[in-house]
Amino acid sequence: MSINDDLRDARASDNTVTRTDLLRAAWASSLGSALEYYDFALYSLASALIFGPLFFPGNNPSTGLILSFGTYFLGFAVRPLGGIIFGRLGDRLGRKFVLLATVTLMGGASTLIGVLPTYNGSAGDWYGGGVGILAPILLVGLRLLQGLGAGAEMAGASILMTEYAPRKERGFYASLPFLGVQVGTVTAALVYFVLLNANQAVKITDTWLWRIPFLASVVILFVAIFIRLKLKESPTFTKLEAHEMIVEKPLTTLVKTSRRTLLRGIGLRLAENGSSSIYQALAIGYVTSAAVGVTGPIGALSLVFAASLGAIVVPIAGKLSDHFGRVKTYRGFAIFQLIAAFPIWYVLSLGDTVLTIVVLSLGLGIGTWGMFGSQSAFMSELFGSRQRYLGVSVAREISAVISGGIAPLIGAWIISLVVAANGGPDVAEAGLGAWIPIAGYLALLTVITIVATFFTPETIGRDLDDTRDAVDDPATVAAHRTAVYPSRTPV
């Protein structure tokens, strides 16, 4: 009898997931996602608005922006390592154990950023002045710890909910942890909006107020840990563990058996992850820099509106993927992003406050987070049960480095070149040409994702206990789909 037959035969004796279990898993996953994306949005905003003068002071603001986004990139660069480390543990020790570990690492690192000394010292330095080069070194160290924890957090949350959810409603329930993304983003943006407007006469970098958002991470951290301690293990992992089917060398198995699936997963995420960083970090740095010259808390306010729209779009996208299929839904949102890329960046170059808020809300709220909401169940269903955690983690985080992490760094470099070519940081018109290559980069990432959807099988309704990847046994995947949806077969 095969491994898959053993798991199928075991279902009758396994305890079913109750509604209470399902809701608890949704809360546990969502709070962890909220913490991750609170930290993500927080660091994005801080990189664009305050880290330059605090940790990388200099006469040229464009150089400070590049260095600030350099630390932002390092957090992404280390995420594949975190994905491998915690992904292996997730496939060997269980989803719950890793979700506890990653949320602790992320939340702890973010909280400690709030007590860091700065380069030259500021009014908010309680320890008596700056510490020079040690300040950016400590910032980089904590950013690396953030990246290690984030490398498997979102993958674990999406897998947990996908394995918990009823088969016909996987897309919807698996999208719920991604609502935590909106909560975390809105919270971070609102905090910065309030702080930036608290006292217009004093810069936030000249006070201790910039530390508050990071210190607040500890509140979400404690709540997330409390709920996750009460969480049951994923039903699929429980079955694997009970029948001694845990892979002893998950990374080796993944490389041998899942290369094609990994490539598809990376391709699918390039557009979503790239646009997330481009709009949340680079776009805000762009419109508030000397290149365009928009003043005020435009970045924070834009994220509030975009995340609010995203909170509506994410569960709708999950529901649409249950009805029309994962591939068609994902491709549809990617096409929207491609069509909107150049118009959005042209509008950003105009420097109009209201239009900036509108286009950023559309770009993030519909394009990026539409793909996000339909992605959770899709990515989890692509991989077999024994290497699912590691596979999703590695695919997610490699794409994060290729697209999301390096995008703001490249964009900041482009902006600095355009500004320098047009006469220096005091020339507002210098930003008029920078939007074209940035939009082109976003369009390129999106085209790659659209192409990837044509080479990725439809996974809706597949048996999550199956140890094979969806691309390795399309006939069985199709049979599962037909069994679950006899009257319609999504393609």
Side-chain angles (χ1 to χ4, degrees):
M1 184 177 288
S2 70
I3 290 176
N4 295 311
D5 290 336
D6 285 343
L7 291 176
R8 277 190 282 272
D9 291 344
R11 279 199 207 110
S13 60
D14 284 329
N15 293 328
T16 58
V17 175
T18 66
R19 181 168 179 79
T20 300
D21 294 333
L22 188 60
L23 292 176
R24 182 176 290 132
W27 274 107
S29 301
S30 298
L31 280 172
S33 301
L35 178 61
E36 177 181 353
Y37 276 81
Y38 174 79
D39 294 341
F40 176 84
L42 208 60
Y43 207 97
S44 299
L45 289 167
S47 296
L49 302 174
I50 65 171
F51 277 169
L54 285 174
F55 293 94
F56 308 99
N59 295 323
N60 190 334
S62 295
T63 301
L65 187 65
I66 291 174
L67 292 173
S68 181
F69 280 139
T71 67
Y72 177 86
F73 167 71
L74 289 175
F76 278 88
V78 78
R79 284 176 70 151
L81 178 60
I84 291 173
I85 293 172
F86 291 110
R88 291 177 74 250
L89 294 175
D91 284 325
R92 295 189 65 185
L93 302 179
R95 310 343 185 185
K96 176 181 175 178
F97 170 82
V98 173
L99 285 173
L100 280 168
T102 53
V103 78
T104 302
L105 189 58
M106 281 190 314
S110 297
T111 302
L112 288 175
I113 289 176
V115 298
L116 281 181
T118 56
Y119 193 98
N120 288 326
S122 69
D125 287 352
W126 53 269
Y127 32 78
V131 294
I133 193 64
L134 180 61
I137 291 175
L138 292 174
L139 179 66
V140 168
L142 291 176
R143 179 60 175 164
L144 292 176
L145 292 180
Q146 262 190 343
L148 285 174
E153 166 63 32
M154 202 66 220
S158 63
I159 290 168
L160 187 77
M161 282 310 301
T162 303
E163 293 179 346
Y164 257 87
R167 190 180 293 199
K168 286 191 175 184
E169 299 177 282
R170 273 186 203 147
F172 172 72
Y173 277 105
S175 72
L176 295 183
F178 287 47
L179 286 177
V181 173
Q182 320 310 320
V183 173
T185 302
V186 168
T187 303
L190 283 175
V191 169
Y192 263 103
F193 178 75
V194 171
L195 292 181
L196 289 170
N197 283 275
N199 189 345
Q200 293 287 354
V202 180
K203 289 184 178 180
I204 188 175
T205 51
D206 293 334
T207 71
W208 53 268
L209 292 176
W210 71 269
R211 301 179 182 278
I212 293 177
F214 291 98
L215 294 174
S217 296
V218 74
V219 178
I220 307 175
L221 172 62
F222 283 146
V223 176
I225 290 176
F226 176 76
I227 293 180
R228 288 186 175 186
L229 284 171
K230 296 179 176 293
L231 189 65
K232 289 183 180 179
E233 184 53 82
S234 152
T236 295
F237 183 82
T238 300
K239 295 169 189 175
L240 289 169
E241 189 175 42
H243 294 82
E244 299 181 353
M245 296 173 186
I246 307 300
V247 177
E248 290 301 319
K249 297 181 178 180
L251 182 58
T252 301
T253 302
L254 181 72
V255 172
K256 285 183 178 179
T257 64
S258 297
R259 285 191 293 269
R260 294 188 301 161
T261 307
L262 283 172
L263 288 175
R264 285 164 172 81
I266 292 169
L268 290 173
R269 285 214 70 221
L270 289 182
E272 172 266 313
N273 194 265
S275 64
S276 180
S277 290
I278 286 171
Y279 286 134
Q280 289 195 60
L282 176 60
I284 293 169
Y286 174 67
V287 299
T288 59
S289 69
V292 176
V294 176
T295 58
I298 183 69
L301 198 57
S302 297
L303 283 185
V304 170
F305 281 96
S308 299
L309 177 60
I312 299 171
V313 171
V314 163
I316 291 176
K319 199 70 176 177
L320 288 174
S321 76
D322 283 329
H323 184 75
F324 295 105
R326 317 292 187 225
V327 173
K328 281 186 175 180
T329 303
Y330 202 87
R331 185 186 299 150
F333 283 110
I335 291 173
F336 171 86
Q337 178 167 287
L338 178 62
I339 294 172
F342 282 92
I344 286 175
W345 274 92
Y346 171 71
V347 171
L348 291 176
S349 74
L350 301 179
D352 184 278
T353 300
V354 175
L355 289 179
T356 294
I357 294 173
V358 171
V359 296
L360 279 178
S361 297
L362 292 175
L364 265 175
I366 297 179
T368 302
W369 286 329
M371 284 184 281
F372 210 40
S374 55
Q375 179 190 110
S376 184
F378 192 13
M379 290 284 286
S380 298
E381 289 169 340
L382 283 173
F383 289 90
S385 59
R386 296 205 294 174
Q387 65 269 13
R388 180 169 294 134
Y389 203 134
L390 181 60
V392 174
S393 297
V394 171
R396 282 182 57 85
E397 303 316 327
I398 288 179
S399 67
V401 175
I402 296 173
S403 57
I406 202 171
L409 189 60
I410 291 176
W413 176 68
I414 291 172
I415 292 170
S416 69
L417 289 180
V418 174
V419 170
N422 285 275
D426 295 327
V427 183
E429 291 79 11
L432 293 180
W435 69 271
I436 299 175
I438 296 173
Y441 177 57
L442 176 60
L444 174 62
L445 294 175
T446 308
V447 167
I448 295 173
T449 289
I450 293 172
V451 171
T453 64
F454 287 98
F455 292 91
T456 306
E458 178 54 66
T459 60
I460 186 173
R462 87 163 294 206
D463 180 4
L464 290 181
D465 293 340
D466 198 325
T467 58
R468 295 162 293 192
D469 288 354
V471 297
D472 295 330
D473 192 10
T476 300
V477 172
H480 292 157
R481 184 168 65 240
T482 302
V484 178
Y485 301 96
S487 61
R488 57 183 176 85
T489 304
V491 293

